Amino acid sequence: MTSKRGRLTIPSESGYLEETKRLIELWGADGIRDSDGTKLDDEIKQLAEKVYTTYFVARNHNDFINQHRDEIQQMFLLSERVMATSDTCQIDIMTGFLSEQIEPNHDDPPNTYWEVVDRTTGELLDSASWTYDETKQQVNVTGVTPYHEYTVSFLAYVIWDPTQMYNHITNDWGDVPHDIPFDVRKKHSKQYMADFLKDWLTQNDQTDIVRFTTFFYHFTLFFNDARKEKFVDWFGYGMTVSVQALSDFEKVYGYRLRAEDFVDEGYYNSTFRVPSKRYLDYMTFIQKFVSQEARTLVDLVHDSGKEAMMFLGDNWIGTEPYGEYFSTIGLDAVVGSVGNGTTLRMISEIPSVRYTEGRFLPYFFPDVFREGNDPTVEAQENWLTARRAIMRKPVDRIGYGGYLSLANQFPDFVEYIRKVADEFREIYATIAHIEPYTSVTVGIVNAWGKLRSWQTHMVAHALWYQQTYSYLGVLEALSGQKVKVVFLSFDDVREGRLAEVDVLINAGDAGTSFSGGTHWLDAELIAKINQWVIEGGGLIGIGEPSAVSCNGRYFQLASLLGVDKELGFSLSTDKYFVQPADRHFLTENMTRYDFGEGQKNIYAIDGDTTILHYENGTVNLAVKEIGAGRSVYISGLPYCAENADLLLRSIHFAAHKEAMLKQWYSDDVNVEVHYYPKAGKSAVINNSSEERTATVFDGAGVPCRLTLAGGEIVWRESYDI
Amino acid sequence: MTSKRGRLTIPSESGYLEETKRLIELWGADGIRDSDGTKLDDEIKQLAEKVYTTYFVARNHNDFINQHRDEIQQMFLLSERVMATSDTCQIDIMTGFLSEQIEPNHDDPPNTYWEVVDRTTGELLDSASWTYDETKQQVNVTGVTPYHEYTVSFLAYVIWDPTQMYNHITNDWGDVPHDIPFDVRKKHSKQYMADFLKDWLTQNDQTDIVRFTTFFYHFTLFFNDARKEKFVDWFGYGMTVSVQALSDFEKVYGYRLRAEDFVDEGYYNSTFRVPSKRYLDYMTFIQKFVSQEARTLVDLVHDSGKEAMMFLGDNWIGTEPYGEYFSTIGLDAVVGSVGNGTTLRMISEIPSVRYTEGRFLPYFFPDVFREGNDPTVEAQENWLTARRAIMRKPVDRIGYGGYLSLANQFPDFVEYIRKVADEFREIYATIAHIEPYTSVTVGIVNAWGKLRSWQTHMVAHALWYQQTYSYLGVLEALSGQKVKVVFLSFDDVREGRLAEVDVLINAGDAGTSFSGGTHWLDAELIAKINQWVIEGGGLIGIGEPSAVSCNGRYFQLASLLGVDKELGFSLSTDKYFVQPADRHFLTENMTRYDFGEGQKNIYAIDGDTTILHYENGTVNLAVKEIGAGRSVYISGLPYCAENADLLLRSIHFAAHKEAMLKQWYSDDVNVEVHYYPKAGKSAVINNSSEERTATVFDGAGVPCRLTLAGGEIVWRESYDI
């Protein structure tokens, strides 16, 4: 019998003792937390075994930082492009930026650190060719080429913490002071950070878990002069910079970074850019620093007998849970927001912490918890989506956030959360620490590899982008499937790690880090993959895999994939292969096709390619046998149940494991089966909210008909054959 | 009163004297011609003032060429890509080629002229690393890198003339001998060509016009081993090559061309490739040779008192009617096939001939002239489409081809052709040699410039391609509009020729010769255009104008155009500008939008861009004011009446000539107005086959309502204000 208590953190708020007590009882919560805008009374803190308290390291101390304003965090920013119409050029560097957030750094000499670049040629101008007027915040350049465009890359103080700024502006907080973030690389800040935490720990003896939100550097986020978001990159290291950081970096790496290494033509090293060696060096440099400094804080927490938990977001930059240095921080736990299966796995797979926690949706905020709306709908969708991933690798705890008093006004919701909590505890009790059965090992290859495990194709955390959803579907499908997933960099492939996988997936738009861009100019890489496939490996390309125009091909793996993209250069070559095959293993369950944004002008290079879907002059789905190997091409794979099945079948086909598909499998795409050998159990889950009747196959492929209520999970005694 | 006779060439055939006589009379034909598969009797030849006889220069003489088989025409071909799986590699060079057409050249030493290339790296292999087995037609390469791909570029004889091959295979001609083309660069062929023509001229005294079909080298066209077209490029110089040509070239240019200069990674220098300096040199070299040799034939024709006419097609390579050497050939006339307005202008604008002739559709062949089909429909569509262009610059004659006896079975068709012939003569009599009124001068800029006047975005003559129709619409619209059109190369722009135009158009897919590809890495070019627009010029970009990823932009003219294309690198930057303007001068007549293939992910770079059409997350139509200039962006412009009006309005807007739009203009997009100042006349034409009532504006902008029958042309006395 599974315990009806534990593994659940809920929020509470001041003056809400009795109802909190009731809900703790009803839901079986053992943890209680504060939230943005809420504080816990001492009495409430005594209700739960674990009290979480949010802790900000590098902001919320304006009294301190105002005395050391040269320690405010900084970043390199790129001005607007200004077209010269004579041989001089004036650039107002702050145009388009929010002066409440950004303040040009006038403390370090501009001509030493800033750059004026001719963006028409890409050339850096001699620093003697321009002057800076502090009063006007204007750069005056002489000797320019008329009708070229010029930019200034300038160092600026970030005088408003981005998350507080976002909340402040969104919620119209009025005269609440702007939190000024400080840089703990600097002497006073470093000292202050430690001293304050020491004090705080002694003053917060009721806190069991210090919830760091988060450490030192926020992901890149700045606003425009209309107080709206101008740039957001959840992975951006932009706000970690300072003259001291540049100098420290040079001491370690022996070379000096430029402003351009940060502004990067205006792309600011978006995670979609193939990272340069210099940027990778810098990321490593920051990770080492962040890990080392975070360690000192974690040690203080531990010394006080408390646990250290990190929130995966906000000021998480440099922690890199999948990076080389994360384990040295010594954290007890990581908590993160669960938007779907992918983000669940992003949290639950984090190595070297004792436990992970997922904060589920909806957040108890008035936007959802309003009269006339049923918050249970979002809760159920969130739970069923994430549950697929939990079945593969559970987080150790779940939780919610926001105003408990709001949630409590919706009895159906309260009851649903009771069921979710019980179901989670049951799943956890059954499968935690038990390796689920997997039929195939899949490698995702991109320029980032392991560092961006379950983090591909993301701009801002969990936000929808038209250019990404057709790729994000791949991870989302995989997050709840009976396959082992490893994330490989191109260097991993070069170093022979293809041996670890049955199937390799390359998915993304041409030129991006996820497709691979210029990595595909490396003949050695191509040859490695050629050999591996011909000797029996399985390759799946999605979107513009291996795309870079070179040597007569756009897809550098076109010979393997059997398709290429017509750019206009080979229109003279007749394309005869357009007829889709009638039936195929991959498409047995497809009733309609959705390739998302898909592609245009994809053609089969010869008759050896088997086309499975062709529409409007383009191949959307094709397979090929080459040597002992197989490949699959898919033009796009947004997440839906049928596409998940299509991907699972593609994987089994590419791996020559068609026979294993119908083991621990259901013929209804909404129903999935997970098997846990060491537990002697399997779970059949209905991912939809409607009743489904499915034919479910056990490990011997023996079918049985099963009817599941909407969202139901059915446990069965199961054993290897 | 216009003459009811003349300016018309019709086909006839053996044994069809009386009916030919009747139709000559009815239609007012003054020229008579043979066609593929028809011969004219002597009596028929006496019916018309002008007798055309088709003449083949470099084929149809197998008795000769079989005695000099080393003078058969040649080309460089690229084998299939073969992936090595060990350190040796065998390549069957003829795989995929039609052995009836292609025969490897075993006369010149393969290791001297052929190339084996590692297509995974692009490296040329040492010729000592491979041997060729003539019997097996196989190249054996040693010391290769396993899992790289290799190709052989080999020199081959073209033993079947492509046009005869096409007709032969299409019409199943059975044991009709295959015409073997010979290369008049070679000694015997050159002599034979002249000798035979001399003889022929004396034996064909009834011929008035020698219709060269055509000269020496066919455009690139080869078939696959299933007797179907494998590759076609109407502009390709592939079949002009020989060891002697390479050697002659080296003597002139001081460097040696490689096989790769011809096979070009498998693209064979498609007209969509940005031409290299080496390829341009070679084209010039061939043009000089072709012009010089054609001149000797034309001289012989003239010496015999006959006219020399060239068919624009088939073996036209190297003549280049818009090239530097064409005038030196001394031709009297050019005849070409008219598929639409663009091809009409391609013929009618050819400089330095006394007259041009358009062969109209349908060809009198059984595919159209069959029971149950009404050939008048195609005839009317062809005529109304081409007539727009005739109103701007008429050909001097029109004509038809095929079997006259077939056409004569369709009385409605016979009557329609009578009307067309009369209408053409009336138009010609009224406007020939009179400059029509133009409001704006438009320059089309691409990598080819004048050489490809009215020849952009074409693969095979007049065939529809999914990748081109959205661009071909631009020329088609322009072909019948009140604008002057000039074709500029990027060098022309560099040399200051923007001064000649009011509006510059750049249209095409990224990387292609028509968009410009790497030309857009030239800062000087960009600055020239920047300056010109800012000082008042008008820029229109269509599709992926100025596209090459560099310096933070994809469209290098993004600052002018106000839009750029999101490749995935700038997803982190918020895109706020998505709201189309309510009303605009450009779109006043639009009832529905058709951008053809359009684009994806086009975004407005800032609020200075006025969006006119936004759908599915992409800008399809936008305008911008920058400095004193203006720009328009259109994602694609397939030809239709509304799009033609949209383009005309875009041009007038970009040129700051909105006020001139409604002069010699109609508010019905199907009705157009042309004004001929020196004739004191204007013509109002209904391009549709339905009756239209339009408001027609004269040169003072004074409107008048006019109803025109389907296809009607109304002439009006008109004068400048």
Side-chain angles (χ1 to χ4, degrees):
Chain A
M1 189 69 199
T2 310
S3 163
K4 289 288 183 193
R5 186 166 165 75
R7 306 212 165 274
L8 175 65
T9 306
I10 64 169
S12 188
E13 56 197 276
S14 192
Y16 206 62
L17 181 66
E18 286 311 310
E19 284 303 290
T20 302
K21 205 169 173 178
R22 188 182 75 84
L23 289 168
I24 281 178
E25 204 57 37
L26 181 71
W27 290 347
D30 61 345
I32 198 155
R33 57 169 290 206
D34 55 1
S35 294
D36 285 354
T38 62
K39 281 270 176 199
L40 302 185
D41 300 332
D42 283 352
E43 283 172 311
I44 287 178
K45 286 181 182 172
Q46 283 158 15
L47 296 175
E49 291 145 45
K50 297 158 181 278
V51 174
Y52 296 57
T53 309
T54 298
Y55 187 88
F56 299 116
V57 174
R59 63 160 163 127
N60 208 9
H61 298 282
N62 286 2
D63 287 348
F64 158 72
I65 186 61
N66 275 323
Q67 287 166 24
H68 305 278
R69 289 188 65 94
D70 60 330
E71 297 196 0
I72 294 175
Q73 290 190 12
Q74 298 180 53
M75 70 179 305
F76 275 111
L77 289 168
L78 186 70
S79 77
E80 285 200 324
R81 298 162 76 109
V82 173
M83 196 183 292
T85 53
S86 70
D87 63 354
T88 65
C89 176
Q90 289 74 45
I91 303 172
D92 295 313
I93 62 169
M94 281 293 291
T95 302
F97 294 106
L98 180 64
S99 58
E100 290 176 281
Q101 189 198 9
I102 302 296
E103 185 178 283
N105 173 341
H106 295 166
D107 298 324
D108 297 299
N111 291 65
T112 305
Y113 297 102
W114 302 12
E115 293 185 341
V116 177
V117 173
D118 179 341
R119 291 288 168 195
T120 309
T121 63
E123 282 161 26
L124 174 66
L125 270 65
D126 191 312
S127 63
S129 66
W130 54 272
T131 58
Y132 175 61
D133 182 328
E134 286 191 12
T135 316
K136 292 184 179 167
Q137 298 184 329
Q138 187 181 68
V139 166
N140 293 282
V141 200
T142 55
V144 305
T145 310
Y147 303 100
H148 283 208
E149 288 188 304
Y150 294 87
T151 58
V152 178
S153 313
F154 63 103
L155 203 50
Y157 290 116
V158 179
I159 57 174
W160 197 356
D161 173 80
T163 288
Q164 202 229 10
M165 173 176 68
Y166 174 85
N167 290 333
H168 193 293
I169 291 175
T170 305
N171 301 317
D172 207 5
W173 283 352
D175 57 4
V176 170
H178 297 181
D179 275 5
I180 304 172
F182 46 93
D183 186 350
V184 304
R185 183 181 291 279
K186 302 292 177 70
K187 192 177 69 177
H188 299 101
S189 297
K190 186 172 172 171
Q191 189 62 50
Y192 182 84
M193 150 181 98
D195 292 348
F196 190 89
L197 179 60
K198 277 179 218 158
D199 276 2
W200 186 93
L201 288 168
T202 59
Q203 287 159 24
N204 285 268
D205 56 348
Q206 281 182 308
T207 295
D208 303 295
I209 300 169
V210 181
R211 186 184 190 271
F212 285 106
T213 305
T214 312
F215 290 111
F216 317 123
Y217 301 114
H218 204 284
F219 60 83
T220 313
L221 173 60
F222 48 89
F223 274 34
N224 65 21
D225 50 1
R227 296 184 122 209
K228 288 165 76 182
E229 184 183 281
K230 184 177 174 70
F231 183 96
V232 59
D233 175 10
W234 202 65
F235 303 94
Y237 278 58
M239 295 183 170
T240 62
V241 176
S242 64
V243 165
Q244 190 179 326
L246 294 176
S247 161
D248 291 352
F249 178 90
E250 190 178 3
K251 279 176 208 143
V252 179
Y253 287 87
Y255 69 94
R256 194 167 187 79
L257 292 172
R258 289 175 47 187
E260 187 63 22
D261 290 313
F262 297 91
V263 302
D264 181 26
E265 301 180 15
Y267 304 126
Y268 295 96
N269 293 297
S270 150
T271 181
F272 288 78
R273 294 279 279 175
V274 175
S276 66
K277 174 73 171 57
R278 294 164 73 94
Y279 186 59
L280 287 172
D281 281 352
Y282 183 73
M283 286 175 70
T284 302
F285 166 77
I286 292 296
Q287 285 173 59
K288 283 182 181 168
F289 173 79
V290 165
S291 304
Q292 179 187 309
E293 295 305 320
R295 175 67 190 230
T296 65
L297 302 188
V298 169
D299 284 348
L300 290 175
V301 171
H302 287 165
D303 290 349
S304 74
K306 302 184 199 305
E307 287 184 5
M309 173 181 266
M310 170 184 125
F311 173 62
L312 185 63
D314 296 359
N315 298 51
W316 75 296
I317 291 303
T319 61
E320 296 296 358
Y322 294 93
E324 217 177 314
Y325 308 97
F326 180 72
S327 65
T328 67
I329 302 176
L331 284 163
D332 298 283
V334 173
V335 61
S337 169
V338 175
N340 52 20
T342 308
T343 44
L344 186 292
R345 290 289 286 270
M346 173 170 77
I347 300 162
S348 69
E349 297 275 1
I350 290 175
S352 68
V353 284
R354 286 197 295 114
Y355 66 96
T356 58
E357 179 169 321
R359 208 249 299 131
F360 281 66
L361 298 176
Y363 211 73
F364 305 165
F365 261 8
D367 54 343
V368 173
F369 291 82
R370 66 176 197 274
E371 211 177 299
N373 189 46
D374 180 4
T376 315
V377 174
E378 188 179 339
Q380 187 182 38
E381 195 187 316
N382 185 241
W383 173 246
L384 293 183
T385 308
R387 190 182 62 180
R388 291 182 66 238
I390 289 177
M391 302 310 292
R392 305 308 302 171
K393 173 67 180 171
V395 286
D396 300 285
R397 301 179 56 82
I398 63 174
Y400 292 88
Y403 297 97
L404 190 62
S405 57
L406 262 181
N408 200 22
Q409 292 165 30
F410 293 78
D412 289 352
F413 177 79
V414 169
E415 172 57 16
Y416 185 72
I417 297 308
R418 190 190 62 75
K419 285 188 195 156
V420 165
D422 284 348
E423 188 169 296
F424 172 71
R425 284 185 286 256
E426 183 186 29
I427 294 169
Y428 193 84
T430 313
I431 70 162
H433 317 301
I434 289 180
E435 198 73 29
Y437 162 85
T438 60
S439 51
V440 188
T441 300
V442 174
I444 313 265
V445 65
N446 59 47
W448 294 107
K450 189 179 168 213
L451 192 76
R452 291 277 162 268
S453 294
W454 305 100
Q455 296 168 19
T456 67
H457 298 97
M458 267 210 270
V459 182
H461 188 265
L463 284 195
W464 184 92
Y465 282 77
Q466 186 172 9
Q467 293 82 1
T468 62
Y469 75 93
S470 310
Y471 300 119
L472 281 169
V474 177
L475 279 199
E476 187 60 21
L478 289 172
S479 74
Q481 291 182 325
K482 57 171 181 178
V483 298
K484 184 178 171 191
V485 182
V486 298
F487 291 84
L488 301 175
S489 70
F490 292 110
D491 280 345
D492 291 335
V493 171
R494 289 182 187 101
E495 287 158 17
R497 290 194 51 201
L498 284 177
E500 296 172 26
V501 304
D502 301 304
V503 173
L504 187 72
I505 295 180
N506 182 234
D509 280 340
T512 64
S513 58
F514 302 112
S515 170
T518 48
H519 279 284
W520 294 109
L521 295 174
D522 175 8
E524 204 184 320
L525 173 72
I526 295 167
K528 272 263 158 72
I529 297 173
N530 281 345
Q531 176 170 8
W532 177 76
V533 171
I534 282 176
E535 291 179 351
L539 175 70
I540 299 178
I542 296 166
E544 297 183 307
S546 73
V548 62
S549 189
C550 185
N551 291 318
R553 295 285 203 217
Y554 190 49
F555 295 170
Q556 292 302 307
L557 301 181
S559 296
L560 301 180
L561 293 165
V563 298
D564 202 353
K565 185 169 189 171
E566 174 62 65
L567 302 184
F569 307 138
S570 49
L571 290 173
S572 288
T573 298
D574 291 272
K575 317 283 194 312
Y576 289 109
F577 309 101
V578 300
Q579 190 59 45
D582 277 346
R583 284 177 53 85
H584 196 276
F585 171 75
L586 260 67
T587 55
E588 276 170 21
N589 278 337
M590 301 304 282
T591 58
R592 50 177 281 280
Y593 288 89
D594 178 4
F595 299 101
E597 294 297 297
Q599 291 292 326
K600 273 183 176 177
N601 302 321
I602 304 292
Y603 65 93
I605 55 176
D606 58 36
D608 294 341
T609 307
T610 302
I611 297 172
L612 301 182
H613 190 278
Y614 186 93
E615 201 170 59
N616 298 328
T618 195
V619 174
N620 283 310
L621 184 64
V623 299
K624 185 176 177 183
E625 310 253 352
I626 179 160
R630 285 174 170 178
S631 70
V632 178
Y633 173 79
I634 311 174
S635 67
L637 195 94
Y639 180 69
C640 65
E642 289 198 2
N643 277 351
D645 186 69
L646 174 61
L647 182 64
L648 191 67
R649 286 169 172 272
S650 298
I651 289 166
H652 283 78
F653 171 80
H656 285 85
K657 290 186 176 176
E658 293 100 317
M660 292 176 78
L661 180 77
K662 291 196 176 172
Q663 296 170 352
W664 313 116
Y665 178 77
S666 136
D667 71 349
D668 182 328
V669 296
N670 295 289
V671 174
E672 287 176 311
V673 186
H674 302 277
Y675 170 52
Y676 307 91
K678 290 198 178 149
K681 286 203 170 148
S682 68
V684 184
I685 60 170
N686 180 356
N687 299 325
S688 78
S689 52
E690 290 89 41
E691 180 183 289
R692 312 291 308 184
T693 298
T695 300
V696 171
F697 300 88
D698 70 9
V702 177
C704 111
R705 293 290 281 176
L706 209 60
T707 297
L708 296 97
E712 191 180 357
I713 175 166
V714 174
W715 292 96
R716 310 168 86 198
E717 301 294 312
S718 298
Y719 302 96
D720 279 332
I721 308 310
Chain B
M1 188 67 197
T2 311
S3 164
K4 289 287 186 193
R5 187 167 163 73
R7 307 212 166 273
L8 176 65
T9 306
I10 64 168
S12 187
E13 56 196 275
S14 189
Y16 206 62
L17 182 66
E18 287 311 311
E19 285 302 291
T20 302
K21 206 168 172 177
R22 186 181 77 83
L23 289 167
I24 282 179
E25 205 57 37
L26 182 71
W27 289 347
D30 62 345
I32 198 156
R33 57 168 291 206
D34 55 2
S35 293
D36 286 353
T38 61
K39 280 272 174 198
L40 302 185
D41 302 331
D42 283 354
E43 284 172 309
I44 287 177
K45 287 181 180 171
Q46 282 158 16
L47 296 175
E49 291 147 45
K50 295 159 181 279
V51 174
Y52 295 57
T53 309
T54 297
Y55 188 88
F56 299 116
V57 174
R59 63 160 165 129
N60 207 10
H61 299 282
N62 286 2
D63 288 349
F64 159 73
I65 185 62
N66 274 323
Q67 286 165 24
H68 303 279
R69 288 189 65 95
D70 61 328
E71 297 197 358
I72 295 173
Q73 290 190 11
Q74 298 180 53
M75 72 180 304
F76 275 111
L77 288 168
L78 186 70
S79 77
E80 286 199 324
R81 297 162 79 110
V82 173
M83 195 183 291
T85 54
S86 71
D87 63 354
T88 64
C89 177
Q90 289 74 46
I91 303 171
D92 295 313
I93 61 170
M94 281 294 290
T95 301
F97 294 106
L98 180 63
S99 58
E100 290 176 280
Q101 190 199 7
I102 302 295
E103 185 178 282
N105 174 341
H106 295 166
D107 297 325
D108 297 300
N111 291 65
T112 306
Y113 297 101
W114 302 11
E115 291 184 343
V116 177
V117 173
D118 179 340
R119 291 289 166 195
T120 308
T121 63
E123 283 161 26
L124 174 65
L125 270 65
D126 191 310
S127 64
S129 67
W130 55 272
T131 57
Y132 175 61
D133 182 328
E134 285 191 10
T135 317
K136 293 183 178 166
Q137 297 185 329
Q138 188 180 68
V139 165
N140 293 283
V141 199
T142 56
V144 304
T145 309
Y147 303 100
H148 283 207
E149 289 188 304
Y150 294 86
T151 58
V152 178
S153 312
F154 63 102
L155 203 50
Y157 290 116
V158 179
I159 58 175
W160 198 355
D161 173 79
T163 289
Q164 202 230 9
M165 175 176 67
Y166 174 85
N167 290 333
H168 192 293
I169 292 175
T170 305
N171 301 316
D172 207 5
W173 282 352
D175 58 3
V176 170
H178 298 181
D179 276 6
I180 304 170
F182 46 93
D183 186 349
V184 304
R185 183 180 291 279
K186 303 293 176 72
K187 190 176 71 176
H188 300 101
S189 296
K190 185 173 175 171
Q191 188 62 49
Y192 181 83
M193 151 181 95
D195 292 348
F196 190 88
L197 179 60
K198 277 179 218 159
D199 275 4
W200 186 93
L201 287 168
T202 58
Q203 287 159 25
N204 285 267
D205 56 347
Q206 282 183 306
T207 296
D208 302 296
I209 300 169
V210 181
R211 186 183 189 273
F212 285 106
T213 307
T214 311
F215 290 112
F216 316 124
Y217 301 115
H218 202 283
F219 61 82
T220 313
L221 174 61
F222 48 88
F223 273 36
N224 67 20
D225 51 0
R227 296 185 120 209
K228 288 163 79 181
E229 185 183 281
K230 184 178 174 69
F231 183 96
V232 59
D233 176 9
W234 202 65
F235 303 93
Y237 278 57
M239 295 182 171
T240 62
V241 176
S242 63
V243 165
Q244 190 179 326
L246 295 175
S247 162
D248 291 353
F249 178 90
E250 190 178 5
K251 278 175 208 144
V252 179
Y253 287 87
Y255 69 93
R256 194 165 187 81
L257 293 171
R258 289 175 48 186
E260 188 63 22
D261 290 312
F262 298 91
V263 302
D264 180 27
E265 301 181 14
Y267 303 126
Y268 295 96
N269 292 296
S270 150
T271 181
F272 288 78
R273 295 279 278 175
V274 175
S276 66
K277 174 75 171 57
R278 294 164 74 94
Y279 186 59
L280 287 172
D281 280 352
Y282 183 74
M283 287 175 71
T284 302
F285 167 77
I286 293 296
Q287 285 174 60
K288 284 181 179 167
F289 173 80
V290 164
S291 303
Q292 179 186 309
E293 295 306 319
R295 174 66 189 228
T296 64
L297 303 186
V298 168
D299 283 349
L300 290 174
V301 170
H302 287 165
D303 290 349
S304 73
K306 302 183 198 308
E307 286 184 3
M309 171 181 268
M310 172 183 123
F311 172 64
L312 185 63
D314 296 359
N315 298 51
W316 75 295
I317 291 303
T319 61
E320 296 295 359
Y322 293 93
E324 217 177 314
Y325 307 97
F326 179 72
S327 67
T328 66
I329 302 177
L331 285 162
D332 298 282
V334 174
V335 60
S337 169
V338 176
N340 52 20
T342 308
T343 44
L344 187 291
R345 290 290 286 270
M346 173 170 76
I347 299 163
S348 71
E349 297 276 1
I350 290 175
S352 68
V353 285
R354 286 197 295 112
Y355 66 96
T356 58
E357 180 169 320
R359 206 249 298 134
F360 280 66
L361 297 175
Y363 210 73
F364 304 166
F365 263 6
D367 54 343
V368 174
F369 290 83
R370 64 174 199 276
E371 213 176 298
N373 190 45
D374 179 5
T376 315
V377 173
E378 188 180 340
Q380 187 183 37
E381 195 187 315
N382 184 242
W383 173 246
L384 293 183
T385 308
R387 189 181 64 180
R388 293 181 66 238
I390 288 176
M391 302 310 292
R392 305 308 302 172
K393 173 67 180 172
V395 285
D396 299 284
R397 300 179 56 83
I398 64 173
Y400 292 88
Y403 297 97
L404 189 62
S405 57
L406 262 181
N408 200 19
Q409 292 165 29
F410 292 77
D412 288 353
F413 177 79
V414 168
E415 173 55 16
Y416 184 73
I417 296 309
R418 190 191 62 73
K419 286 189 195 151
V420 165
D422 284 350
E423 188 168 296
F424 172 72
R425 282 183 288 255
E426 183 186 27
I427 294 169
Y428 193 84
T430 313
I431 71 162
H433 317 301
I434 289 180
E435 199 73 31
Y437 162 85
T438 60
S439 51
V440 189
T441 300
V442 174
I444 313 265
V445 66
N446 59 46
W448 294 107
K450 189 179 168 212
L451 192 75
R452 291 276 162 271
S453 295
W454 304 100
Q455 295 167 18
T456 67
H457 299 95
M458 266 210 269
V459 183
H461 187 266
L463 283 194
W464 184 92
Y465 283 77
Q466 185 172 8
Q467 292 82 1
T468 63
Y469 75 94
S470 310
Y471 300 119
L472 280 169
V474 177
L475 279 199
E476 187 61 20
L478 290 171
S479 73
Q481 291 181 325
K482 57 171 181 177
V483 297
K484 184 177 170 190
V485 181
V486 298
F487 291 84
L488 301 176
S489 69
F490 292 108
D491 280 344
D492 290 336
V493 171
R494 289 183 187 102
E495 287 157 18
R497 291 195 52 202
L498 283 177
E500 296 171 27
V501 304
D502 302 304
V503 173
L504 187 70
I505 296 180
N506 182 234
D509 280 340
T512 64
S513 58
F514 301 112
S515 170
T518 48
H519 279 284
W520 294 108
L521 297 174
D522 175 9
E524 202 184 320
L525 174 72
I526 295 167
K528 272 261 158 72
I529 297 173
N530 281 345
Q531 176 169 9
W532 177 77
V533 171
I534 283 175
E535 292 179 352
L539 175 69
I540 300 178
I542 297 166
E544 297 182 307
S546 72
V548 63
S549 189
C550 186
N551 292 318
R553 295 286 203 214
Y554 189 49
F555 296 169
Q556 293 302 309
L557 301 180
S559 296
L560 301 180
L561 293 165
V563 297
D564 202 352
K565 185 169 189 169
E566 174 61 64
L567 301 184
F569 307 138
S570 48
L571 290 173
S572 287
T573 298
D574 290 273
K575 318 283 193 310
Y576 289 108
F577 308 101
V578 300
Q579 191 58 45
D582 276 345
R583 285 176 53 86
H584 196 275
F585 170 75
L586 259 67
T587 55
E588 277 171 19
N589 279 335
M590 301 304 282
T591 58
R592 49 176 282 280
Y593 288 89
D594 178 4
F595 299 101
E597 295 298 298
Q599 291 292 326
K600 272 183 176 176
N601 302 322
I602 304 293
Y603 65 93
I605 56 177
D606 58 36
D608 293 341
T609 307
T610 303
I611 297 172
L612 301 181
H613 190 278
Y614 186 93
E615 201 171 60
N616 298 327
T618 196
V619 173
N620 283 309
L621 184 64
V623 300
K624 185 176 178 183
E625 311 252 354
I626 178 159
R630 285 176 170 177
S631 70
V632 178
Y633 174 78
I634 312 174
S635 67
L637 197 93
Y639 181 70
C640 65
E642 289 198 3
N643 277 350
D645 187 68
L646 173 61
L647 182 65
L648 191 68
R649 286 169 171 272
S650 298
I651 289 166
H652 282 77
F653 171 81
H656 286 85
K657 291 187 175 176
E658 293 100 317
M660 292 177 79
L661 180 78
K662 290 196 176 174
Q663 295 168 352
W664 313 116
Y665 178 76
S666 137
D667 71 349
D668 181 329
V669 294
N670 296 287
V671 174
E672 288 176 311
V673 186
H674 303 277
Y675 169 52
Y676 307 91
K678 290 198 179 152
K681 287 203 167 145
S682 69
V684 184
I685 61 170
N686 179 355
N687 298 326
S688 77
S689 51
E690 289 88 41
E691 181 183 287
R692 313 291 308 186
T693 298
T695 301
V696 171
F697 300 88
D698 70 10
V702 177
C704 110
R705 291 292 281 176
L706 209 60
T707 297
L708 295 97
E712 190 180 357
I713 176 166
V714 173
W715 293 97
R716 310 169 85 197
E717 301 294 314
S718 298
Y719 301 97
D720 279 331
I721 307 309

